[in-house]
Amino acid sequence: MDQDVPEGAGAADRRVLLRRLGWTALAVGVAATAVLVSPLVVPLPGPAPVTPPPSSAGPSSVVSPPVVTSPVLVVPPVVTLTAAAPPGAPPPPSPPAPATSSRPVAFQSITVHAADPANIRTGARVIECASCRGGSRVGYIGGPNILAIRVAGVPTAGTRTLTIVYETEEPRTLKVAVNDATAQTRLLSGAASLLIPATTSVEVFVPAGDSWIRFFNDTGDAPDINEIVLS
């Protein structure tokens, strides 16, 4: 670029002046370029987008963890099957009733001596006998004379076995009755001795509580009675 240089200046001054004018022109050119050309803005790279893993439920689905529940034990009902009888068939027979007995099952035997003071002896008498049970027996039974032995504390009524211990020298008839019941008759021969006990048994019905067992013979002599056992 040509500029007017004042006349009369030296060569050195001219060079200095021309250098200044060059720098001024360069600055003006740069300023003009900055005004005319928009600054170039280069965007900085941002963070890379994060891609979620593929899901069959879609991008907006949220997968929840599985819920574990305890198993419930279900008890099946008990079903009882009954075979139906054919039409017109008679009803099945009822099961037989268990057999019953009038004899008590857990009865404890009762033993009473003929000479017991609680007994009643009408005309009969106690006779000492070393070989008899209890050391004595009751004799002189028969005709109007009667021996009644008291049996106390029977728990339940029922038919029981009455065992009679007696002594006789010859066959004699003995009648036995419980309270006012009908008497049972036995012809007893024994051991043919008044010193040797013999036994006989009869079945009698005994009510609960206290009872009297009568021994007699209204037609003759009866054997001597030693003791009785009710079982």
Side-chain angles (χ1 to χ4, degrees), residues 1-206:
M1 178 178 296
D2 295 332
Q3 297 291 338
D4 292 334
V5 179
E7 295 181 0
D13 295 331
R14 286 175 59 90
R15 287 194 296 269
V16 172
L17 180 62
L18 290 175
R19 188 179 294 114
R20 291 179 178 175
L21 290 177
W23 285 108
T24 301
L26 178 59
V28 172
V30 171
T33 303
V35 173
L36 295 179
V37 180
S38 301
L40 180 61
V41 179
V42 180
L44 297 176
V50 178
T51 303
S55 173
S56 59
S60 61
S61 300
V62 178
V63 180
S64 301
V67 178
V68 180
T69 58
S70 301
V72 179
L73 179 62
V74 179
V75 180
V78 179
V79 180
T80 303
L81 300 179
T82 304
S94 301
T100 58
S101 174
S102 60
R103 183 184 301 274
V105 177
F107 176 74
Q108 191 171 8
S109 63
I110 299 174
T111 302
V112 183
H113 198 276
D116 191 294
N119 300 335
I120 296 175
R121 292 176 295 273
T122 302
R125 291 180 294 180
V126 177
I127 302 172
E128 298 295 330
C129 175
S131 59
C132 297
R133 295 189 183 182
S136 63
R137 67 180 190 270
V138 174
Y140 302 97
I141 301 172
N145 299 343
I146 297 174
L147 168 66
I149 296 179
R150 180 176 179 264
V151 177
V154 176
T156 56
T159 301
R160 309 185 189 278
T161 301
L162 176 64
T163 301
I164 305 167
V165 182
Y166 69 97
E167 293 85 18
T168 184
E169 291 180 331
E170 58 186 6
R172 291 185 178 184
T173 300
L174 178 65
K175 295 182 179 181
V176 183
V178 178
N179 296 331
D180 295 331
T182 303
Q184 300 186 48
T185 302
R186 292 289 187 273
L187 179 59
L188 305 175
S189 56
S193 173
L194 291 174
L195 301 178
I196 301 176
T199 60
T200 186
S201 297
V202 295
E203 296 293 317
V204 294
F205 180 83
V206 181

